[in-house]
Amino acid sequence: GAGVSQSPSNKVTEKGKDVELRCDPISGHTALYWYRQRLGQGLEFLIYFQGNSAPDKSGLPSDRFSAERTGESVSTLTIQRTQQEDSAVYLCASSSLRFAGGAYEQYFGPGTRLTVT
Amino acid sequence: DAKTTQPTSMDCAEGRAANLPCNHSTISGNEYVYWYRQIHSQGPQYIIHGLKNNETNEMASLIITEDRKSSTLILPHATLRDTAVYYCIVRVVDSKLTFGKGITLSVRP
């Protein structure tokens, strides 16, 4: 079936502008994650949605970052007043319980490469 | 989540088995061992996970020591396409993944 999709694949924006990144998770996956990966670095957790629970926002680096998710579908990550240090690949992942007592594996999208000039 | 320790890099000849070690000496009883890999310019890809028993799937085998303080990911017949950064992660069910630096596997012809 279809995997996690993200749009746009590439985004170039000027410093100070707002950007919105979109993630379409795998259908039926209740959990959705956003990560950031700067050039040559590992992944940094940003935010986690699980069903109707309050999201875990502990990874958001500043109040310029926010994310929303409608039910168990699309999520958008918004970065306001972008800065050059926001340049990175933003990755979305979704997961679902495979069997009772099992562990969730996350399936990643291809990412959105954000460049702030 | 418990931390993991991996070598920085290793290389392997094409067609041979690649054995990637991981130490996780502070793992808790309810934490699973996960392996992901990231091929250049792509998103991470799930490989395999386990709790305490050894696991095998179409991609790899996971060997977990009896005390669960270390594990080894085995790619039985490495190919050039297996060149990637491999991440060993321990986590409780349905929690965020904490990626360390991983191990860079280079498969040579």
Side-chain angles (χ1 to χ4, degrees), chain A residues 96-113:
Chain A
S96 178
L97 183 63
R98 293 180 66 204
F99 55 89
Y104 299 75
E105 57 259 35
Q106 296 182 17
Y107 295 90
F108 283 79
T112 293
R113 181 174 300 278

Side-chain angles (χ1 to χ4, degrees), chain B residues 83-99:
Chain B
T83 293
V85 179
Y86 287 77
Y87 297 96
C88 170
I89 300 162
V90 293
R91 63 189 272 253
V92 296
V93 167
D94 194 28
S95 63
K96 62 181 183 286
L97 292 168
T98 301
F99 287 79

Side-chain angles (χ1 to χ4, degrees), chain A residues 31 33 35 37 42-43 45 48 50 56 58 91 95 98 101-106 108-109, chain B residues 32 34 36 38 41-46 49 87 91 93-101:
Chain A
Y33 306 76
Y35 296 86
Q37 187 170 33
L43 274 75
F45 165 75
Y48 161 48
Q50 171 59 287
D56 175 356
S58 59
L91 290 153
S95 72
R98 293 180 66 204
Y104 299 75
E105 57 259 35
Q106 296 182 17
F108 283 79
Chain B
Y32 288 74
Y34 277 78
Y36 281 76
Q38 189 170 26
S41 298
Q42 298 183 21
Q45 178 189 22
Y46 165 81
H49 74 271
Y87 297 96
R91 63 189 272 253
V93 167
D94 194 28
S95 63
K96 62 181 183 286
L97 292 168
T98 301
F99 287 79
K101 294 188 185 301

Side-chain angles (χ1 to χ4, degrees), chain A:
Chain A
V4 178
S5 60
Q6 293 186 244
S7 60
S9 55
N10 280 285
K11 176 73 177 177
V12 180
T13 189
E14 292 180 353
K15 178 181 172 181
K17 294 282 179 67
D18 297 351
V19 294
E20 209 171 79
L21 313 179
R22 177 186 170 108
C23 171
D24 285 87
I26 293 171
S27 178
H29 279 195
T30 57
L32 186 147
Y33 306 76
W34 284 97
Y35 296 86
R36 175 172 74 176
Q37 187 170 33
R38 291 189 168 117
L39 187 64
Q41 303 294 313
L43 274 75
E44 302 171 65
F45 165 75
L46 296 177
I47 189 168
Y48 161 48
F49 296 90
Q50 171 59 287
N52 295 321
S53 303
D56 175 356
K57 304 180 182 180
S58 59
L60 294 178
S62 76
D63 59 9
R64 295 187 296 105
F65 288 72
S66 62
E68 293 184 349
R69 187 181 187 196
T70 307
E72 294 182 355
S73 61
V74 171
S75 175
T76 55
L77 176 70
T78 302
I79 309 173
Q80 296 178 308
R81 305 181 302 282
T82 53
Q83 304 293 314
Q84 287 184 329
E85 64 262 26
D86 299 335
S87 294
V89 175
Y90 289 80
L91 290 153
C92 175
S94 69
S95 72
S96 178
L97 183 63
R98 293 180 66 204
F99 55 89
Y104 299 75
E105 57 259 35
Q106 296 182 17
Y107 295 90
F108 283 79
T112 293
R113 181 174 300 278
L114 175 67
T115 304
V116 181
T117 60

Side-chain angles (χ1 to χ4, degrees), chain B residues 26-79:
Chain B
T26 60
I27 191 170
S28 301
N30 62 344
E31 288 182 312
Y32 288 74
V33 180
Y34 277 78
W35 283 82
Y36 281 76
R37 74 179 181 184
Q38 189 170 26
I39 296 169
H40 183 62
S41 298
Q42 298 183 21
Q45 178 189 22
Y46 165 81
I47 300 173
I48 199 167
H49 74 271
L51 184 61
K52 51 186 176 182
N53 297 323
N54 297 337
E55 302 288 344
T56 295
N57 63 21
E58 65 277 5
M59 289 182 70
S61 294
L62 175 61
I63 308 299
I64 303 174
T65 57
E66 193 169 340
D67 63 7
R68 302 211 319 127
K69 292 186 177 182
S70 65
S71 60
T72 302
L73 178 75
I74 301 171
L75 307 179
H77 306 288
T79 71

